[in-house]
Amino acid sequence: MTPEQAVVAVETVSAVIDGVEVTVPKGTLIIRAAEQLGIAIPRFCDHPLLAPAGACRQCLVDVEINGRAFPKPQASCTMPVENGMVVKTQLTSPVAAKAQEGIMEFLLINHPLDCPVCDKGGECPLQNQAMSTGRTESRFEGEKRTFEKPINISSQVLLDRERCVLCARCTRFSNEIAGDPFITLNERGALQQVGIYEKDPFESYYSGNTVQICPVGALTGASYRFRARPFDLVSVNSACEHCASGCDLRTDIRRGKTLRRLAGDDPAVNEEWNCDKGRWAFKYISSRERLKNPLVRGADGELHEASWPEAIAAAAAGLAGKRVGVLAGGRLTHEDAYGYSKFARVALGTNDIDFRARPHTDEERDFLASVVTDLKTTYADIDKADHVVLVGFEPEEESPIVFLRIYRHVRKRALSVISDAPLASRGSKKLGAKLVSSVADVSGLTAQSVILVGERAAEVEGTLSAAYALAQSTGAKLAWIPRRAGERGAIAAGAIGNLLPGNRPVGDSSARVDVQSAWGVSSLPENVGRSTSQILAALNDESLDAVLIGGVDPMDISADALNQLLNTFVVSLEISNSSVTAIADVVLPVAAVAEKSGSYLDWRGSARHFDKAMEDVDLRSDVRILSMVADALGKPINLPTVTATRAEIESLGNWDGAKSTFTPRALAAAPSDEFTLVSWRFLLDLGALQQGEANLAGTAKQARAHISSATAAKLGVTEADHLKISSDHGSIELPVSIREIADNLVWVPRNSEGSQVIPSLGFTRGAVKVAKR
Amino acid sequence: MSTLSPVLSAHWDEPDSFTIAAYKRHGGYGALAKALKSTPDEVIALIKDSGLRGRGGAGFPTGNKWSFIPQGDNKAHYLVVNADESEPGTCKDMPLLLANPHSLIEGIIIGSYAIRANHSFIYLRGEVVHVYRRVQKAIEDAYAAGFLGKNILGSGFDLELTLHAGAGAYICGEETALLDSLEGFRGQPRLRPPFPAIAGLYAMPTVVNNVESIASVPSIIEHGVEWFQAMGTEKSKGYTLYSLSGHVANPGQFEAPLGITLRQILELAGGIRSGHQLKFWTPGGSSTPMFTAEHLDVPLDYEGVSAAGSMLGTKALQIFDETTCVVRATLRWVEFYKHESCGKCTPCREGTWWLVQIMKDLEAGKGTEADLEKLLDLCDNIAGRSFCALADGAVSPIISSLKYFRAEYIQHLTEGGCPFDPVASTLFETAGA
């Protein structure tokens, strides 16, 4: 038990439920106290993470307090336990039992008997509770209410209104938890129904949770509808590969195919929620572009399918004796990243490895090694925070479960949020964030405050240093939250030029000795290795001869990155055909997340392990393949399985010696150009892992160029116009959106339809020309 | 006690009764001046002592309600007047507002002063546009006369009064649904606690009172507690408005001391329409269990009606003579509740949907006696199981009509249809039909 979890004295109350005494914290609802005794009171509208509604009336029980009985049964989902309370549930009170049966009968009169074709059939709280609480035969002989079915309340959520029991879980979730009140109950009486606003469709990043918590089959996901019966599915615990929030997931497989994913239950992280990307973006696994067999470039200059021994031999031959750089990418599991790290040092004899496939700096690399490796901030610190400062971090877009946690406290206790975002995004507005132009302008923090730094903080020199200094001077908790799921694990694995596994500084001889003895090698390279951009430059000027690339899209780094790979020997480990595999000399297909075991370290540095979900798939994890290549090179890394890798990581342990000290950089001056482009990514965009899921893409935000009203006036444009934004590299054209943003800035999404800034403009941030199209 | 006691309705027959001039001519706004000379707590104590109880149906002591508002909490307080009069048969608040709107406005100012509210609201049923216009004019006149706004009568007390028209939903007469509607949301009842006295309008301490309750306040201030207590019965003090409708010679509003009987009111109203006899009646609107001729002498106060198995409710006396089919009348009421059920909770939403279908079958003579048992069992599963009292009202005409007229239901079944001629019960039917 950590000190954080230490028991705090809680005021308790005692009551008797069905003759059994129970003591619970004050404020506990009767329905929850009964659960502790193993007494299940049927319910529909009740949800432990939503405010009580008391709408469905299914949970009626008899209650008396200090000998005074309520004249009628009470909803156990709305009434807190009090001292001296005696509760009789359906188990001991005939009145409660009849009340519950009566409600169940009412719920069923207008509910269709379409269980055999309903997605929910087999996992349906209504079906289950109708069996436990209902009558065997209906007394209803009248006419049922009917509706046209189904209707799309978004491209990904469908509503069958006649199945709805109007528990309002979905509308309460959207309003209370996500802050997206885009669905509401309309009409009245039995014609009451969930509806959307004509002008605001249900485009919430969290909409899939409404499908998951719907206690009937009223809300279904378009991509899963009519695909499977729950009893044909095999459910596997898994971890989400999309961002660093760290969600627990459940993956449901049928006959070797992932059919759906659901939010898992981890109170310390995602509670019972996840985002729509985590839920629905998994079709890339079954994409036609998936690689199943190795490819080797032949004498004809074309890629040909090859056997594994042939491909491994070709890779080894191309790498042997060469000066090789390693670009690992930010989406690896901890174990795979460890494989790249060890492969670079042992098989290639280099520290030229970097996982960062995005804009990056040396300041950041130092910050990651010296500061991030020590950070222990968690979600619980947000729960206790007096201020949350967002630095280069847009939580709703870049780590949506972190957003939910902050939003909860904004809603419940008006938590103060401060952001250095240049634009008041919708997420910022939901958080009521106070915008500052730089982290240097933040004041009033205490040791209770939390500073959340995103990966984009590296894009303005000195920002990471300033955030660190702010944490140092105020005692505030600091956290670094990258966008990708694998980055924190890659740091821990040493998949970066200044760190060995277990946070060991490359330049520290005793740290190297640790690793040498564990790996059974006589020496390790001593100098800090090249960064991603330095590796690319070195390949270009031929100070490096070859490159080993994991899951990296060169366009995430720079517009030139792919060109820099053209005249070098490229070994690509990939799940699907990509711009890198197209130019690679050897392509080694690897397993996607559902096809392998492993673990992700989330932004807290905490691991979530997962097992292979799709048993039949015969693809290997990156680490296994690297181990084979190392064997072929005659420099074995001895990591034949993920399990062996995990064991080695654990036995090596973390460095407890001195860290390199962080040398702060001065904060860059504010841009003085007439117009500076600023950008970040939308959660739903053109990302490679979202491919193949049109229903999800249908709720992505449209790209628009955001400018201030003063800039709009200066340029003579309105929201009906388009802007042309150009750099030396190229240009993009987008419709105008007038928002709260500095007059010399123009904001666009980084990788959305019509707005891919690196390929089009050559950078993510910099001077641009802006004009009316 | 068989005489009327017109207070609120004393001058309704004057052509200009609704004007501020007429109201002042009869001493109007005198009580306000008097109240402003007392402390707010003294006003609350006076209303408590008077024994005034809520005239909207529940009969909760008005002074007690006011005293629940926390004092010195540095929060805004609100007085909200429930003028969403929608209970079938009830027609007292609308005529009162039409003929004597200033009695309400004066009562609001006094009540707001007592509970330390500086902004009050009248939530008016949206359909009655003529009443809306009249009350709006009365408010404008009260502002012009200095009874509303800043520093009322030099007392330092400020009050803004807003008239808000509802959009036409019975549920918005339920006080928490009314508050949701007033805030701009869809009217559905709120979970309690917190009660409005702690977190009402905009989550601030709020008193919600019926029009008649508040309009009664100035008379109590003006004439004193003893004058008020001299009327009525032991626990139901004062005078009130009874709305008499249906098969009576002279329907209308009868202002009388609480505890008067229907027999006495019928004498004043010229009796049942000529040539007919009383069959059944409601003491307080369709939500209150019906009575029959055997209840003619039940004192119409909170305790008397309750002891006889019903509720005083809104004192809407709907009178039905022997030409009326009780099954048909009950079906009409249940259709009303189905139409007005807000949909929030299961028993009301689904139950009324089902009840209407069964009642329709019964009226058409379809079904068996077993259906009557099913009907009663469904009523048992609805009453006391729903989120608010709407559904309790929906089942009370069914339960009470089956209690007194079961044979008439069975007659429908045995005869295969309704034995009544619906035309005979209409008011345009010639006498003696």
Side-chain angles (χ1 to χ4, degrees), chain A residues 334 355 363-377 464 468 478-482 487-496 498-506 601-606 653-662:
Chain A
H334 188 194
F355 67 86
E363 178 195 15
E364 185 195 33
R365 187 166 61 177
D366 295 350
F367 178 80
L368 298 180
S370 307
V371 179
V372 171
T373 50
D374 278 336
L375 297 179
K376 298 200 166 53
T377 308
L464 289 167
Y468 181 56
L478 184 66
W480 179 73
I481 308 187
E487 299 212 350
R488 197 63 207 266
I491 296 169
I496 189 162
N498 59 348
L499 283 177
L500 291 169
N503 306 332
R504 290 173 175 77
V506 157
L601 300 194
D602 62 21
W603 64 273
R604 303 170 301 161
S606 303
N654 279 341
W655 176 241
D656 51 10
K659 300 270 170 78
S660 53
T661 48
F662 177 59

Side-chain angles (χ1 to χ4, degrees), chain B residues 90-172:
Chain B
T90 310
C91 44
K92 63 185 184 69
D93 295 337
M94 295 308 120
L96 171 60
L97 290 175
L98 207 53
N100 189 7
H102 286 283
S103 62
L104 175 66
I105 293 171
E106 187 179 9
I108 288 172
I109 305 165
I110 296 169
S112 301
Y113 173 71
I115 66 161
R116 286 89 162 166
N118 297 110
H119 199 151
S120 293
F121 297 83
I122 302 171
Y123 185 94
L124 180 69
R125 176 166 197 199
E127 293 91 330
V128 284
V129 180
H130 54 305
V131 175
Y132 181 86
R133 289 194 197 107
R134 184 153 286 178
V135 176
Q136 189 63 54
K137 176 72 168 79
I139 292 172
E140 282 164 20
D141 290 346
Y143 267 104
F147 297 128
L148 288 169
K150 297 280 176 204
N151 192 20
I152 295 165
L153 301 182
S155 64
F157 174 63
D158 307 332
L159 180 67
E160 300 298 325
L161 177 58
T162 301
L163 176 64
H164 178 93
Y170 177 66
I171 191 63
C172 291

Side-chain angles (χ1 to χ4, degrees), chain A residues 551-575:
Chain A
V552 171
D553 179 350
M555 277 304 170
D556 287 344
I557 305 166
S558 72
D560 300 330
L562 190 61
N563 291 334
Q564 290 169 314
L565 299 173
L566 287 178
N567 300 314
T568 192
F569 185 79
V570 177
V571 177
S572 167
L573 275 66
E574 253 299 356
I575 59 168

Side-chain angles (χ1 to χ4, degrees), chain A residues 98 110 139 143 187 192, chain B residues 186 343 350 357 380-381:
Chain A
K98 179 170 189 291
N110 273 324
R139 293 184 292 176
E143 230 175 282
E187 305 296 336
Q192 192 181 222
Chain B
R186 187 160 161 267
E350 309 293 338
Q357 296 197 25
D380 183 54
N381 287 344

